[in-house]
Amino acid sequence: MRHDIARLHHVGHVVGNMGEALTLYRRLGFAVPPPSYPTMAPAEGAEPEPFGAANTHADFRRSFIELATCVRAGDATRIPEDAHLVPLQAPASQLPLLLERIGETSAKLAVMLSRFEGLHILMFSSPDIDATATRLASAGVGHGGVNAVRRPVETSSGIRTELVRYLEIDSDGPGTGNDSTTEGRVGAVADLDGDIQGSRLLDHPNGAVDLIEVVLCVAEAELALVQARYENYLGRPARADGPVRAFDLDGAALTLVPDTHLTALLPDERPAALPAFVAYAVAVRDLAVVRDLLKEEGIPLRESPSGDLFVPAAAALGTAIVFRQAPVPA
């Protein structure tokens, strides 16, 4: 059966200090380019200053991991030296809307950080984003419609324009009475452009090749409700595996685990809140390479009962990062 949501598109690790996050991810063996910070002059004649939200990606061919942070007043000294400062440019008629959107994004990231530092964004990949929007609406799942953003991308063949079409499932966030996606920002994005994605940094020293799993921890009493919610989101039933519920995607999975069972999946892990995205997994070419690299970097590493290696959330800015051996091609 062909689904309008196929795989994982990206996860967003929301951090308080981008420089610290970059250092961590590079020590973990991810190739992460300098982050982009929008800039704008606070007054006429003044020098442009970073504001709003900043991000960067660890990219794979079909997915990526996003590092994101909000820029607060006085953050100038915490901006990485290699950051890419992007002057905000838009026609006068579009500038107010652009500023409003950047402000909204920054405010959402600030709310996420106030809850905890860690994984707060989960976006699924859709081969037909319009069909996804129609199905969700028919299933009674609120969303803001399909948005489109165009952005310039530097590739080996020159500057190209990347079109990103996406939708976000409605939520007003924690504490507002609308807790449909209290775990974070959830939505769907049109499949990545293979040519553009292939031009990004894809050769990671740790051998990571794809984003293959996200773990959502929920209160045991809420498991059935969250399962039903994601069955609506994804248009497919969950698979029961003991107390765990799994949604099988194309080469990936979303795993729902009750809080009472999390340590059986990831020893000694505890959720910072409930519900919460507590871990993500990447496929790697050789687990032995990961073990040696992280040992050399002095990064704590644990082994799960299934044989995966993972860096505990306490050592990885609030989210457990799991490394799993990629299957050997037939």
Side-chain angles (χ1 to χ4, degrees):
M1 179 179 177
R2 185 176 184 272
H3 293 282
D4 59 74
I5 286 181
R7 62 179 70 92
L8 298 175
H9 188 278
H10 74 272
V11 291
H13 189 169
V14 182
V15 299
N17 186 311
M18 181 61 80
E20 182 181 342
L22 281 175
T23 298
L24 169 69
Y25 269 74
R26 289 166 180 168
R27 290 179 64 212
L28 288 170
F30 291 104
V32 186
S36 295
Y37 282 73
T39 65
M40 192 174 193
E44 188 174 350
E47 288 295 318
E49 296 179 0
F51 78 105
N55 75 338
T56 186
H57 299 167
D59 286 293
F60 312 114
R61 291 203 172 273
R62 306 194 306 176
S63 57
F64 61 85
I65 302 160
E66 179 183 22
L67 295 178
T69 192
C70 55
V71 183
R72 300 182 177 94
D75 264 2
T77 59
R78 295 174 13 133
I79 294 174
E81 291 183 1
D82 61 351
H84 184 204
L85 303 182
V86 184
L88 195 62
Q89 296 178 340
S93 61
Q94 297 179 18
L95 189 58
L97 178 59
L98 182 58
L99 289 172
E100 180 182 354
R101 286 182 174 175
I102 291 175
E104 288 174 352
T105 299
S106 181
K108 288 177 182 178
L109 293 176
V111 170
M112 294 172 184
L113 277 173
S114 70
R115 192 168 182 240
F116 63 88
E117 181 176 44
L119 207 64
H120 289 276
I121 299 168
L122 171 58
M123 302 298 280
F124 298 98
S125 191
S126 171
D128 189 341
I129 192 68
D130 296 302
T132 299
T134 299
R135 178 183 59 77
L136 289 174
S138 298
V141 177
H143 61 82
V146 178
N147 299 288
V149 175
R150 295 180 184 274
R151 58 190 181 195
V153 177
E154 186 175 349
T155 70
S156 56
S157 59
I159 300 296
R160 292 181 55 184
T161 298
E162 181 178 32
L163 174 64
V164 180
R165 302 185 72 230
Y166 69 96
L167 64 82
E168 294 186 43
I169 292 170
D170 285 345
S171 173
D172 296 325
T176 63
N178 179 5
D179 60 352
S180 61
T181 52
T182 302
E183 61 269 19
R185 177 186 176 215
V186 179
V189 190
D191 285 349
L192 289 162
D193 182 311
D195 290 339
I196 290 178
Q197 190 65 7
S199 71
R200 294 183 161 114
L201 293 175
L202 301 173
D203 189 12
H204 302 281
N206 60 20
V209 294
D210 202 4
L211 173 67
I212 57 170
E213 186 178 12
V214 175
V215 180
L216 172 56
C217 186
V218 303
E220 185 175 30
E222 300 294 319
L223 180 61
L225 290 174
V226 177
Q227 174 184 336
R229 178 152 59 82
Y230 276 87
E231 287 178 339
N232 271 342
Y233 295 171
L234 298 175
R236 71 194 76 193
R239 170 175 54 83
D241 183 8
V244 170
R245 301 293 181 267
F247 291 91
D248 297 317
L249 305 170
D250 179 11
L254 169 66
T255 300
L256 308 184
V257 58
D259 57 331
T260 53
H261 190 72
L262 179 59
T263 56
L265 210 66
L266 297 169
D268 298 326
E269 288 297 295
R270 298 287 187 276
L274 290 174
F277 298 118
V278 295
Y280 69 81
V282 295
V284 297
R285 296 188 183 94
D286 190 339
L287 269 182
V289 169
V290 174
R291 188 187 297 275
D292 291 345
L293 185 152
L294 299 192
K295 181 179 179 181
E296 184 176 339
E297 288 290 339
I299 294 175
L301 195 61
R302 302 288 307 276
E303 186 168 341
S304 73
S306 63
D308 297 335
L309 300 178
F310 72 95
V311 178
L317 302 178
T319 183
I321 300 175
V322 182
F323 299 91
R324 183 172 301 153
Q325 180 67 52
V328 178

